Amino acid sequence: MTRALTPKGAATRLKIIEGAAEEIRENGVAVTTLDDVRVRTRTSKSQLFHYFPEGKEELLLAVARYEAERVLSDQQPQLGALTSWAAWQAWRDIVVDRYRRQGQYCPLNSLVSQLGRSTPGAQAVVTELVGQWQAEITAGVRHMQAIGEVDPALDAGRTASSILAGVQGGVLLLLSTGHIGHLEAALDTSIEHLRRSRPAPAGGVAAHRG
Amino acid sequence: MTRALTPKGAATRLKIIEGAAEEIRENGVAVTTLDDVRVRTRTSKSQLFHYFPEGKEELLLAVARYEAERVLSDQQPQLGALTSWAAWQAWRDIVVDRYRRQGQYCPLNSLVSQLGRSTPGAQAVVTELVGQWQAEITAGVRHMQAIGEVDPALDAGRTASSILAGVQGGVLLLLSTGHIGHLEAALDTSIEHLRRSRPAPAGGVAAHRG
């Protein structure tokens, strides 16, 4: 999406996106105008037009992409190193903490709603975020399988997909009801599901399969 | 919320809500006006004002409540009778089928977004829906515990909360990406989690607890 920019151009473009993201976090996407962004980032109309020739929607999409990257980077380094039960627990804790602090306003959710959840641009941003997020969780499940802590018969990608659904639903229910209990329950139950799947040690009895 | 109405009054009010719900399902909440609703339901301005004196927002809230009730009634009788693994599977199938048919437009999600997800009115509708939905799933988990199919040590309410989060997240990901796989994975993994928890038959070995 990004055109080839000089380093200085790329820095200016990023400054605009960061300023727009702050403006939207403070005041909401509905009331934020291009003029608000210009004032906050000290850019001219022609600069804004140069970097976002298609106007507000193009800028909002860039901010959505920026916020989506932040969703992942806020979970690092824990998300990228799900290599022990302690690591899974640490990841669970930072996810809960991030969304508890964020509370009932989620900039990415607002941006996606504003752009239209099923428009191609918004859909591409979310699909990429979901793909990367799921790939990280899948790698974590595979690692636990490789070290014998999770049943190798579990489909790692599908398990990761279900964990991600639980996180998304927990966050949506936090936004909609103000309660974080669903997010905690989803993460705890997911980890418990992985733990309970652990094959019995060699010579022991096989885990009961129901 | 509803004032005491004569049976005829209640019928007229419901006719308006149903008509508004259809209008919103067909054209989206953003473009639906009170005049569209009046034309479709053949009601006068004074009738509309009589039943919804606070105007569009009051009507949208009533439609949100109506759509929330539909979310639950569409899952019956299966949701209310989660009394065997076959019943859980049947419930899983109708949930997936309902949302697959619904596709990428969810009237309740749109209404809640339009009203403002964290406004008291919208929050009350979602909180009530979530409470009822979770109570039904909890009853199902408890039943399976009572007949010895699910580990009695599982916290039924918390497990139900996590199942519901998975469903919500699966639906949100369907709306955002067009893929239903997350919803299927969430439901399948939840049911698998319950099944794997089953205590070993008397005289057998205990389920491995990880």
Side-chain angles (χ1 to χ4, degrees):
Chain A
M1 299 288 289
T2 311
R3 291 159 299 281
L5 294 172
T6 62
K8 194 174 162 222
T12 304
R13 186 173 182 277
L14 180 60
K15 185 183 78 173
I16 296 171
I17 293 170
E18 287 174 341
E22 280 170 33
E23 189 73 28
I24 287 167
R25 279 177 175 250
E26 282 174 25
N27 302 317
V29 64
V31 302
T32 295
T33 65
L34 287 180
D35 279 341
D36 295 330
V37 175
R38 277 206 311 103
V39 170
R40 180 184 280 261
T41 59
R42 295 200 191 89
T43 42
S44 66
K45 274 193 181 166
S46 67
Q47 270 181 309
L48 209 59
F49 181 76
H50 176 72
Y51 293 107
F52 302 97
E54 286 159 51
K56 186 172 175 186
E57 187 167 317
E58 189 180 8
L59 176 58
L60 291 186
L61 255 184
V63 176
R65 208 169 293 118
Y66 172 82
E67 290 287 359
E69 284 162 15
R70 218 160 132 167
V71 166
L72 289 180
S73 63
D74 282 357
Q75 296 175 58
Q76 300 298 0
Q78 290 87 346
L79 175 61
L82 296 170
T83 55
S84 66
W85 294 125
W88 280 84
Q89 191 62 35
W91 172 63
R92 175 258 186 233
D93 289 345
I94 60 155
V95 170
V96 169
D97 186 55
R98 177 196 199 270
Y99 286 103
R100 181 178 283 127
R101 276 187 286 111
Q102 187 173 275
Q104 280 196 263
Y105 177 72
C106 172
L108 183 57
N109 191 335
S110 301
L111 283 156
V112 167
S113 288
Q114 177 77 21
L115 287 160
R117 200 168 286 283
S118 59
T119 53
Q123 194 158 322
V125 171
V126 175
T127 300
E128 195 186 329
L129 167 62
V130 167
Q132 290 179 3
W133 201 342
Q134 187 170 328
E136 300 256 33
I137 301 173
T138 303
V141 175
R142 290 223 173 96
H143 185 96
M144 299 307 276
Q145 289 176 316
I147 62 174
E149 292 287 332
V150 163
D151 184 350
L154 278 192
D155 180 327
R158 205 168 158 79
T159 303
S161 174
S162 107
I163 294 173
L164 188 54
V167 172
Q168 295 293 309
V171 171
L172 183 67
L173 289 168
L174 168 63
L175 299 180
S176 302
T177 70
H179 296 292
I180 202 158
H182 298 278
L183 178 61
E184 293 177 316
L187 281 163
D188 291 340
T189 305
S190 293
I191 294 173
E192 179 69 10
H193 178 63
L194 292 175
R195 291 181 79 113
R196 280 187 179 229
S197 81
R198 185 168 69 170
V205 294
H208 191 87
R209 290 300 161 69
Chain B
M1 300 285 291
T2 312
R3 290 160 299 281
L5 295 171
T6 62
K8 195 173 162 223
T12 305
R13 186 173 182 276
L14 180 60
K15 186 183 75 172
I16 296 170
I17 293 171
E18 286 174 341
E22 280 171 32
E23 190 73 28
I24 287 168
R25 279 176 175 250
E26 281 174 27
N27 303 317
V29 64
V31 302
T32 295
T33 66
L34 287 181
D35 278 342
D36 296 331
V37 176
R38 276 205 312 105
V39 170
R40 179 184 281 260
T41 58
R42 296 202 191 89
T43 42
S44 65
K45 274 194 180 165
S46 67
Q47 270 181 310
L48 211 59
F49 181 75
H50 175 72
Y51 293 106
F52 302 97
E54 286 159 51
K56 187 173 174 185
E57 188 168 315
E58 188 179 7
L59 175 59
L60 291 185
L61 255 185
V63 176
R65 206 169 295 118
Y66 172 82
E67 289 289 358
E69 282 162 15
R70 219 159 133 167
V71 166
L72 289 180
S73 63
D74 281 357
Q75 296 176 55
Q76 301 297 2
Q78 290 86 345
L79 174 61
L82 296 170
T83 55
S84 67
W85 294 124
W88 280 84
Q89 192 61 37
W91 171 64
R92 176 257 185 233
D93 289 346
I94 59 155
V95 170
V96 169
D97 185 54
R98 177 194 199 270
Y99 286 102
R100 181 179 283 127
R101 278 187 285 112
Q102 187 172 275
Q104 280 196 263
Y105 177 72
C106 172
L108 183 57
N109 191 335
S110 301
L111 283 157
V112 168
S113 289
Q114 176 78 22
L115 287 161
R117 201 168 285 283
S118 59
T119 53
Q123 193 158 321
V125 171
V126 175
T127 300
E128 194 185 331
L129 168 62
V130 166
Q132 289 180 2
W133 201 341
Q134 186 169 328
E136 300 257 31
I137 302 173
T138 302
V141 174
R142 291 225 172 95
H143 185 96
M144 299 307 276
Q145 289 177 317
I147 62 174
E149 292 287 330
V150 163
D151 184 351
L154 277 192
D155 181 327
R158 204 167 158 81
T159 304
S161 175
S162 109
I163 294 172
L164 187 54
V167 171
Q168 295 294 309
V171 171
L172 183 67
L173 289 167
L174 168 64
L175 299 180
S176 302
T177 70
H179 297 294
I180 202 158
H182 298 279
L183 179 61
E184 293 177 316
L187 281 163
D188 291 341
T189 304
S190 292
I191 294 173
E192 179 69 10
H193 179 63
L194 291 176
R195 290 182 79 113
R196 281 188 179 228
S197 80
R198 185 169 68 171
V205 295
H208 190 88
R209 291 295 163 72

